[in-house]
Amino acid sequence: MTVHAPQFTPELLQYLHQISEPEHPILAQMRQETESHRLGKMAIAPKQAALLTWLARLMRVENYLEIGTFTGYSSTAMALALPETAKITCCDINVTFTDIAQQNWQRAGVSHKITLHLQPAIITMDEMLANGAANNFDMIFIDADKPPTPHYYDRSLKLIRSGGIIAIDNILLNGRIINPVSENSPASHAILRQFNAELAQDPRIVTLTVPLGDGLTLILKK
């Protein structure tokens, strides 16, 4: 029985990369272009996208919602993985970044699968709920500004179907999440600490946080 994982040296990580499904050439190009941007670290890590698309294939996802699109890496990865019948809904407020995302969707040949809502995601989610979209989505990915995370989650839990998955990125705040909250801490610190603690006690879900990227929480709605 393995109690402790081996030390993941660069060489071992490269080996794991070699024996996994290769990154799509379009995604590799997008990642390289995004990394050159001063906010490039906002993009999802390739291994996180690989896990989410693997789960989406396993679940035969047809209806996917993304909160926070940036330059489109995660949405493009999902669109490439899902069948032609799938519908992908993206929410963001940044015109500059989503213009790049739309160019990437065109380049990847997946723009016909994707609908972009360019307004605060909470407004879009409320509109969806008002229009009868409760229990309509198979998978929801939250990767946006951190203080509203509890609000994104509350609405996502209404929008996701039973047996669907909500994924939330950056729950570790670059490792700062375990530090005590002080008067100098950003608002996201206290909010996410409380949110993470309450999430583990929520009887409506089964939750698992995996150490990928900056922490990825997977939530299964019962």
Side-chain angles (χ1 to χ4, degrees), residues 39 41 58 85 95 104 123 149 169 188 191 218-219:
L39 296 177
K41 292 183 179 180
L58 178 68
T85 53
V95 175
N104 286 327
I123 294 176
T149 296
D169 195 18
S188 57
I191 291 170
L218 302 174
I219 299 163

Side-chain angles (χ1 to χ4, degrees), residues 65-187:
L65 173 62
E66 181 173 276
I67 310 302
T69 296
F70 194 40
T71 58
Y73 185 96
S74 53
S75 52
T76 302
M78 192 62 67
L80 288 169
L82 295 183
E84 284 297 309
T85 53
K87 297 179 180 179
I88 296 172
T89 304
C90 293
C91 300
D92 208 298
I93 60 171
N94 191 297
V95 175
T96 301
F97 293 146
T98 54
D99 279 351
I100 297 172
Q102 291 179 86
Q103 294 170 18
N104 286 327
W105 299 335
Q106 290 282 352
R107 182 168 50 171
V110 298
S111 59
H112 61 287
K113 297 182 183 180
I114 304 173
T115 300
L116 173 65
H117 294 267
L118 201 57
Q119 64 179 3
I122 288 176
I123 294 176
T124 300
M125 298 170 91
D126 284 343
E127 290 175 351
M128 289 176 175
L129 289 167
N131 291 326
N135 306 305
N136 193 45
F137 288 92
D138 303 305
M139 180 178 282
I140 299 175
F141 179 43
I142 301 172
D143 187 16
D145 48 332
K146 303 313 165 192
T149 296
H151 302 291
Y152 295 145
Y153 168 69
D154 287 342
R155 288 160 174 80
S156 293
L157 201 58
K158 296 174 183 176
L159 289 165
I160 200 79
R161 66 169 173 82
S162 177
I165 288 179
I166 302 168
I168 306 177
D169 195 18
N170 302 115
I171 58 89
L172 298 180
L173 296 177
N174 291 316
R176 298 191 307 273
I177 195 69
I178 61 174
N179 298 335
V181 176
S182 71
E183 61 182 15
N184 297 321
S185 299

